[in-house]
């Protein structure tokens, strides 16, 4: 017996030693992989460097090595280390703890290069925690000029700037061509028209600078409120240039400079040089859906005799990528190779506008995850708080609508700048659910709020597959079906209910589909066509619930009718209804064609124009509440609706007629 025990013990010890040896070998292999990746990070080959960045992002032991590389005198290696460090942060679960470790290491460092790159790390991180804003503000007193300038630019990019930061940026415009000069230009573009004191200096620099630097100065001059006509010759010269980097910086000027550049670009599209016509076609792409003249000219260029022009006009080729411009548009998502599946095409304009709306929503979320319809202003400075509060019992509906704006671009509760925002909002909605499945029954939420909350839960489960959301979604869907079967259910409940149940169906939830038939019978009643909201809601039920084609009769004429009255966002407009605007946007996007093109000015012109700009303080990124719904639900709801309208391009696919695959093809007769 003793011999048997001894054999067993020896066998256990052998297995333990083998396991320890394998673990040691795995650790040694990881160490070698880390050294190899750090070596390849210094490569001049961009593909090799990108593969190394991806590997370092997934290696949990690369934190301190990458921080040390940030202090490299070689700017090329330091930039690659910066990209790898940002990717590394987003690929780790405890990224906030890693960020705090990195900030502590960089702040205590005597290495000037490390301190200079500290603001860049925070800027790329995206949503900077409040605790780290004081760290950035303390860098405004640093003895190094570049550290002060980088800190001021980063503070304004996260909407936490001050008058002192503005003065530092204005003083950073001399001398020209330095790294501090580029940081000052970037920061002044974030400040906007509030930096009016820099206009005179920038106007003088337009004649002193050349090439790429001159275009950057021109962009900044327009951003701070300068005359766009003064920079038109600079952009036209850049569009004529054979330098692809200069073209990459000049093409977005069509959107930033405004209508002043449209006439010269139209003239440029008629010159004899095919390469110049191609550059003009790229620039016109930003104008094509906003002005009829640009749209007609862009369509004519698709018939050009030169193939490079036709490909550019048809959107089959894109202008060369400029990292600085894409970084401004996409923020931290571009820093770690994200974008969440959204292509960098003409939709980038609306995406940047909707991103500002989401940033405002993220700043005004409560600690428990909800968005307060009435008390959101408590997050703003005393004496400068946002106005436009709503009803206190509408928190469930407002929270669900705000949450949809993050889910619509792929932000879930995992590894993204707003993961904490989404996670806390989902926990709040689940906590509001009662035994029978209703969400918000105890807090006085309406059936409409329950329908929108069900839609948010179903999208969260569909995007993540997280089982913790399936049971709440199932209970909420069952309660929603019971609500839709009631004869007194109003139009808003039915329309949001149809959207929620279809989303539940995409999330593989099975239920009795006859509920769509009953809602469809209600939607076909002629009485709903006289009331604007009910007319738009009934079309949502028929298009999304019964999958009726909005391009064919009898829906075709009804779809044309919901465009009237013309959409607007005026505080004194009595006919404005936020839900109607969202329903109409959904339906018209499904219809496509001329009715959808006629709705474009509302999305591309009206909504961006009435959004509060970055220099408007706590209101920056939000939309004023309009109409009866806006007065009832407040600024949070109006900002969420406007953001969702801008997301419709990549949130819902247009209607596509399904082919009947059940019928077998008859064999061909000989």
């Amino acid at each position: 017996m003793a011999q048997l025990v001894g054999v067993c013990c020896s066998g256990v010890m052998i297995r333990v030693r083998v396991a320890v040896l394998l673990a040691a070998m795995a650790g040694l292999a990881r160490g070698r992989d880390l050294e190899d990746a750090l070596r390849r990070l210094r490569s001049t080959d961009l593909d090799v460097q990108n593969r190394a960045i991806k590997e370092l992002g997934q290696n949990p032991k690369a934190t301190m090595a990458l921080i040390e590389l940030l202090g490299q005198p070689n700017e090329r290696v330091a930039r690659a280390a910066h990209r790898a460090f940002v990717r590394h942060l987003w690929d780790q679960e405890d990224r906030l703890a890693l960020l705090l470790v990195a900030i502590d290491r960089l702040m205590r460092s005597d290495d000037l290069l490390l301190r200079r790159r500290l603001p860049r790390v925070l800027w790329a991180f995206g949503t900077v925690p409040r605790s780290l804003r004081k760290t950035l503000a303390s860098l405004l007193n640093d003895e190094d000029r570049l550290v002060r300038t980088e800190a001021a630019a980063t503070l304004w990019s996260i909407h936490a700037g001050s008058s002192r930061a503005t003065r530092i940026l204005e003083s950073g415009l001399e001398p020209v061509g330095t790294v501090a000069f580029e940081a000052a230009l970037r920061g002044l573009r974030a400040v906007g028209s509030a930096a009016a004191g820099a206009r005179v200096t920038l106007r003088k620099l337009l004649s002193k600078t050349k090439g790429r630097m001159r275009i950057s100065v021109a962009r900044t001059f327009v951003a701070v409120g300068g005359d766009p006509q003064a920079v038109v010759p600079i952009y036209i010269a850049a569009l004529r240039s054979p330098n692809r980097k200069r073209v990459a910086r000049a093409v977005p000027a069509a959107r930033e400079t405004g209508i002043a550049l449209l006439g010269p670009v139209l003239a440029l599209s008629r010159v004899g040089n095919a390469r110049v016509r191609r550059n003009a076609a790229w620039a016109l792409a930003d104008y094509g859906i906003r002005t009829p003249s640009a749209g007609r000219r862009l369509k004519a260029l698709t018939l050009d005799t030169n193939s490079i022009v036709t490909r550019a006009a048809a959107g089959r080729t894109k202008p060369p990528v400029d990292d600085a411009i894409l970084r401004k548009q996409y923020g931290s998502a571009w820093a770690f190779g994200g974008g969440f599946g959204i292509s960098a095409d003409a939709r980038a304009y609306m995406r940047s506008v909707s991103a500002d709306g989401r940033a405002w929503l993220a700043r005004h979320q409560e600690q428990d995850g909800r968005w307060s319809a009435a008390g959101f202003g408590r997050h703003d400075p005393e004496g400068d708080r946002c106005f436009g509060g709503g009803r206190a019992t509408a928190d469930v509906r407002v929270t669900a609508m705000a949450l949809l704006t993050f889910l619509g671009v792929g932000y879930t509760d995992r590894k993204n700048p707003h993961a904490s925002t989404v996670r806390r909002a989902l926990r709040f909605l689940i906590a509001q659910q009662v035994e029978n499945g209703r969400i918000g029954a105890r807090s006085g939420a309406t059936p409409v709020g329950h329908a929108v909350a069900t839609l948010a839960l179903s999208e969260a489960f569909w995007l993540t597959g997280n089982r913790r959301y399936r049971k709440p979604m199932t209970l909420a869907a069952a309660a929603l079906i019971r609500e839709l079967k009631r004869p007194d259910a109003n139009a808003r409940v039915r329309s949001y209910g149809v959207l929620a149940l279809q989303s539940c169906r995409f999330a593989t939830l099975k239920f009795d589909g006859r509920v769509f038939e009953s809602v469809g019978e209600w939607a076909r009643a002629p009485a709903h066509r006289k009331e604007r909201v009910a007319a738009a809601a009934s079309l949502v039920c028929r298009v999304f619930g019964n999958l009726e084609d909005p391009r064919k009769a009898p829906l075709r004429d009804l779809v044309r009718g919901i465009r009237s009255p013309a959409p607007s966002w005026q505080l004194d407009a009595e006919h404005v209804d936020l839900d109607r605007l969202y329903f109409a946007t959904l339906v018209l996007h499904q219809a496509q064609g001329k009715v959808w093109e006629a709705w474009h000015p509302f999305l591309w012109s009206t909504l961006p124009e009435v959004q509060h700009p970055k220099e408007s303080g706590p209101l920056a990124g939000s939309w004023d509440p309009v109409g009866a719904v806006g007065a009832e639900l407040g600024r949070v709801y109006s900002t969420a609706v406007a953001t969702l309208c801008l997301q419709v391009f990549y949130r819902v696919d247009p209607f596509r007629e399904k082919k009947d695959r059940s019928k077998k093809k008859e064999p061909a007769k000989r």
Side-chain angles (χ1 to χ4, degrees):
M1 186 68 181
Q3 293 178 353
L4 180 62
V5 172
V7 170
C8 292
C9 290
S10 62
V12 171
M13 292 301 297
I14 290 173
R15 287 197 296 270
V16 170
R17 290 174 181 174
V18 170
V20 171
L21 180 61
L22 291 175
M25 292 176 63
L28 183 62
R30 283 196 297 268
R32 290 177 178 174
D33 290 343
L34 176 60
E35 294 177 0
D36 182 57
L38 291 173
R39 179 182 55 79
R40 287 186 283 113
L41 191 67
R42 302 171 181 269
S43 173
T44 56
D45 189 333
L46 189 59
D47 293 334
V48 174
Q49 199 177 78
N50 287 336
R51 287 194 295 270
I53 288 172
K54 185 176 180 180
E55 293 177 14
L56 290 169
Q58 299 171 353
N59 195 323
K61 295 185 177 181
T63 306
M64 299 310 298
L66 289 174
I67 292 176
E68 295 298 330
L69 277 179
L70 288 174
Q72 284 288 321
N74 189 325
E75 185 67 21
R76 177 182 57 79
V77 177
R79 287 183 178 180
H82 174 257
R83 291 171 56 204
F85 182 68
V86 174
R87 175 77 182 246
H88 174 73
L89 285 177
W90 288 113
D91 281 352
Q92 305 303 318
E93 290 291 342
D94 54 344
R95 52 184 168 275
L96 183 57
L98 290 176
L99 179 67
L100 293 174
V101 170
I103 297 305
D104 182 65
R105 168 74 178 82
L106 294 171
M107 283 291 293
R108 290 188 291 104
S109 174
D110 295 331
D111 191 343
L112 180 60
L113 291 175
L114 280 177
R115 290 209 321 278
R116 284 178 174 179
R117 279 150 190 158
L118 167 61
R120 298 187 195 178
V121 171
L122 289 174
W123 179 51
F125 189 76
T127 305
V128 177
R130 292 180 180 272
S131 59
L132 295 181
R133 295 185 182 183
K134 294 182 179 180
T135 303
L136 269 176
S138 66
L139 292 178
L140 296 178
N141 301 318
D142 196 277
E143 58 184 10
D144 184 69
R145 177 169 171 267
L146 178 56
V147 174
R148 295 195 304 269
T149 308
E150 289 279 7
T154 305
L155 281 170
W156 271 109
S157 68
I158 62 173
H159 308 288
S162 60
S163 57
R164 173 171 171 73
T166 305
R167 290 194 297 271
I168 290 174
L169 292 174
E170 291 175 352
S171 63
L173 295 176
E174 296 290 344
V176 178
T178 61
V179 180
F181 176 75
E182 295 182 357
L185 291 179
R186 186 176 69 248
L188 288 172
R189 287 196 289 271
V191 176
S193 59
R199 291 179 196 166
V200 177
T201 305
L202 290 169
R203 184 66 181 262
K204 295 178 180 178
L205 290 176
L206 289 175
S207 57
K208 293 182 179 180
T209 52
K210 296 180 180 180
R212 178 180 61 85
M213 195 64 65
R214 193 181 189 191
I215 297 176
S216 298
V217 173
R219 290 179 58 214
T220 309
F221 178 71
V222 174
V224 299
D227 184 12
Q229 294 289 349
V231 302
V232 168
I234 298 174
Y235 288 129
I236 295 300
L239 290 174
R240 288 179 174 273
S241 171
N243 189 316
R244 291 180 65 83
K245 290 185 177 180
R246 199 171 300 174
V247 173
R249 288 180 169 267
V251 166
R255 180 172 62 254
E256 297 179 357
T257 308
I259 205 69
L261 192 60
L262 179 58
V265 172
L266 286 173
L268 208 63
S269 67
R270 294 180 172 87
V271 300
N273 192 316
R275 175 182 46 77
V276 175
R277 294 202 306 276
R278 177 203 60 191
N279 297 344
W282 282 335
L284 283 173
D286 281 328
Y287 281 122
I289 54 179
R290 288 190 286 170
T291 61
S293 58
R296 289 193 296 269
R297 184 57 192 155
L298 200 59
K299 188 175 181 179
L301 288 175
T302 59
L303 305 175
D304 196 273
T305 55
N306 195 295
S307 61
I308 66 169
V309 180
T310 57
R311 288 198 299 269
R316 291 194 293 271
T317 62
K318 303 296 180 184
V321 174
D322 184 85
D323 186 72
I325 296 172
L326 287 175
R327 175 85 110 155
K328 178 189 174 186
Q329 292 177 354
Y330 293 98
S332 57
W334 176 257
F336 62 95
F340 303 102
I342 305 167
S343 59
D345 54 8
R347 300 177 188 177
Y349 173 66
M350 289 199 308
R351 182 180 173 179
S352 64
V353 175
S354 63
D356 293 338
R358 289 193 303 275
W360 185 89
L361 290 171
R363 294 196 304 270
H364 290 82
Q365 188 186 26
E366 304 294 328
Q367 287 297 324
D368 61 356
R370 66 189 171 94
W371 275 271
S372 176
F376 61 89
R378 67 172 62 95
H379 299 278
D380 301 324
E382 189 70 30
D384 191 20
R385 292 183 173 177
C386 296
F387 62 91
R391 179 165 46 84
T393 57
D395 287 356
V396 169
R397 181 176 175 183
V398 167
T399 299
M401 207 69 173
L403 176 59
L404 287 172
T405 64
F406 295 93
L407 296 173
V409 292
Y411 288 137
T412 63
D413 57 351
R414 303 174 184 173
K415 295 184 180 181
N416 64 76
H418 295 291
S420 176
T421 302
V422 175
R423 189 182 306 114
R424 287 185 286 129
L426 287 168
R427 288 176 180 173
F428 170 77
L429 292 178
I430 294 173
Q432 297 298 309
Q433 193 172 41
V434 297
E435 291 77 9
N436 65 354
R438 273 290 302 274
I439 299 176
R442 296 194 187 100
S443 59
T446 62
V448 184
H450 170 73
V452 181
T454 306
L455 175 60
L457 287 176
S458 62
E459 287 201 8
F461 177 72
W462 180 63
L463 287 171
T464 63
N466 196 327
R467 293 181 179 179
R468 74 176 64 175
Y469 305 138
R470 183 173 181 85
K471 184 177 179 181
M473 176 192 70
T474 305
L475 294 175
L480 181 58
I481 291 174
R482 292 194 300 269
E483 187 67 36
L484 291 177
K485 290 180 179 179
R486 296 180 55 179
D488 59 342
N490 63 33
R492 301 176 201 266
V493 176
R494 295 179 189 274
S495 54
Y496 281 118
V498 164
L499 294 173
L501 290 179
Q502 283 290 13
S503 182
C504 290
R505 178 173 284 181
F506 286 136
T508 68
L509 180 65
K510 297 181 180 180
F511 55 87
D512 189 358
R514 287 179 293 181
V515 64
F516 293 122
E517 298 178 5
S518 62
V519 174
E521 292 177 1
W522 168 87
R524 294 186 188 92
H528 306 311
R529 302 174 187 176
K530 298 179 181 179
E531 205 271 321
R532 296 189 183 101
V533 178
S538 64
L539 286 173
V540 169
C541 296
R542 297 179 68 174
V543 172
F544 290 92
N546 296 67
L547 301 181
E548 297 183 43
D549 193 342
R551 301 167 298 179
K552 299 179 180 179
L555 262 64
R556 183 174 54 227
D557 295 334
L558 297 177
V559 168
R560 293 173 182 171
I562 65 171
R563 293 183 300 162
S564 179
S568 64
W569 201 279
Q570 300 175 5
L571 293 175
D572 56 348
E574 298 180 356
H575 65 271
V576 175
D577 188 287
L578 297 178
D579 289 329
R580 175 204 165 245
L581 292 176
Y582 183 49
F583 295 156
T585 302
L586 287 174
V587 173
L588 292 172
H589 179 247
Q590 296 298 305
Q592 294 291 304
K594 294 183 178 180
V595 291
W596 177 234
E597 293 176 2
W599 196 259
H600 278 162
F602 169 66
L603 300 175
W604 288 83
S605 180
T606 303
L607 286 181
E609 286 175 1
V610 297
Q611 185 186 33
H612 284 275
K614 292 182 178 180
E615 60 269 15
S616 55
L619 292 170
S622 67
W623 280 266
D624 292 330
V626 294
V629 176
E632 179 186 2
L633 303 178
R635 180 174 296 276
V636 177
Y637 192 80
S638 63
T639 302
V641 169
T643 306
L644 287 172
C645 287
L646 294 171
Q647 290 178 358
V648 71
F649 285 95
Y650 43 85
R651 189 180 183 86
V652 184
D653 286 337
F655 189 92
R656 292 181 176 88
E657 188 175 5
K658 296 182 179 180
K659 297 181 180 180
D660 187 3
R661 302 181 183 273
S662 61
K663 298 180 180 180
K664 297 182 179 179
K665 293 184 179 181
E666 296 181 0
K669 296 181 180 180
R670 294 185 179 180

